[in-house]
Amino acid sequence: MIVVSDTSAIANLAVVDHFWLLQATYKSVVIPEAVASEIAVATNPKISLILQLDWIQTRLPSPPSYQLAEQLQRERGLDYGEAHAIALALDLQADDLLMDERLGRRETTRLGLSIVGILRVLLVAKQIDLIPQVKPIIDSLINQAGFRVSSQLYERILTFAQEI
């Protein structure tokens, strides 16, 4: 299974000490060089440690995909990491793209890629008994990482996780 991630998804999980869920769920995660560059300059040491993990693979998109990434930035307003993650996911024909930002998710869907967000990762982790509850982790994401989630989605996730 090939999973590509943008910066915020993996950084947010690292901030709340649940980055390990990605390895437990996917075995390995591929990030574009653009995401690695963003991670490398992170001020939080939990985030910068991501690059030292052997199950994180860094790759460059092909030249045509690199051009797509530039186009997504210029014409669609995506940030550097998001655009390159989408381009690399297309290049690698990834099974999933890990991304939470609304604009990036919209473009990912438009391009026909399968998208997974942090909340889905948490639900899967609970289903396969990696974690007992999703609520404490979501609350940590909100309070420690600045993760934004609507109250409706928050309630829907907790209902689905059978925690309400």
Side-chain angles (χ1 to χ4, degrees):
M1 173 176 254
I2 299 172
V3 178
V4 174
S5 183
D6 78 342
T7 306
S8 64
I10 56 178
N12 286 337
L13 284 170
V15 167
V16 299
D17 299 319
H18 279 81
F19 187 65
W20 61 272
L21 288 174
L22 294 177
Q23 183 187 29
T25 306
Y26 296 114
K27 307 300 180 230
S28 70
V29 176
V30 182
I31 58 172
E33 187 66 42
V35 168
S37 297
E38 291 177 347
I39 290 169
V41 299
T43 56
N44 186 324
K46 290 179 180 181
I47 297 171
S48 55
L49 287 175
I50 291 170
L51 297 177
Q52 296 176 15
L53 301 171
D54 62 358
W55 55 274
I56 298 294
Q57 302 171 20
T58 302
R59 301 236 180 110
L60 283 170
S62 67
S65 292
Y66 189 87
Q67 290 174 348
L68 171 64
E70 289 181 339
Q71 181 182 2
L72 288 170
Q73 287 177 267
R74 188 176 54 253
E75 295 176 10
R76 301 290 189 175
L78 268 62
D79 77 20
Y80 186 64
E82 289 172 330
H84 284 260
I86 290 171
L88 185 61
L90 284 168
D91 244 8
L92 299 176
Q93 297 178 339
D95 296 291
D96 287 321
L97 174 60
L98 184 57
M99 182 179 292
D100 285 301
E101 293 80 10
R102 184 176 294 150
L103 182 57
R105 291 175 72 90
R106 186 178 319 135
E107 288 303 311
T108 299
T109 301
R110 184 182 70 81
L111 292 168
L113 292 167
S114 173
I115 190 155
V116 175
I118 290 176
L119 299 176
R120 175 94 177 245
V121 169
L122 295 178
L123 288 172
V124 169
K126 182 177 179 180
Q127 288 172 340
I128 61 175
D129 293 324
L130 294 173
I131 56 174
Q133 292 183 303
V134 299
K135 185 181 185 316
I137 302 168
I138 297 171
D139 291 345
S140 293
L141 284 163
I142 293 167
N143 296 321
Q144 296 173 26
F147 185 75
R148 293 182 303 237
V149 59
S150 70
S151 57
Q152 294 102 337
L153 180 56
Y154 182 86
E155 294 294 323
R156 208 165 66 222
I157 293 296
L158 295 183
T159 300
F160 190 78
Q162 298 178 340
E163 295 181 25
I164 293 184

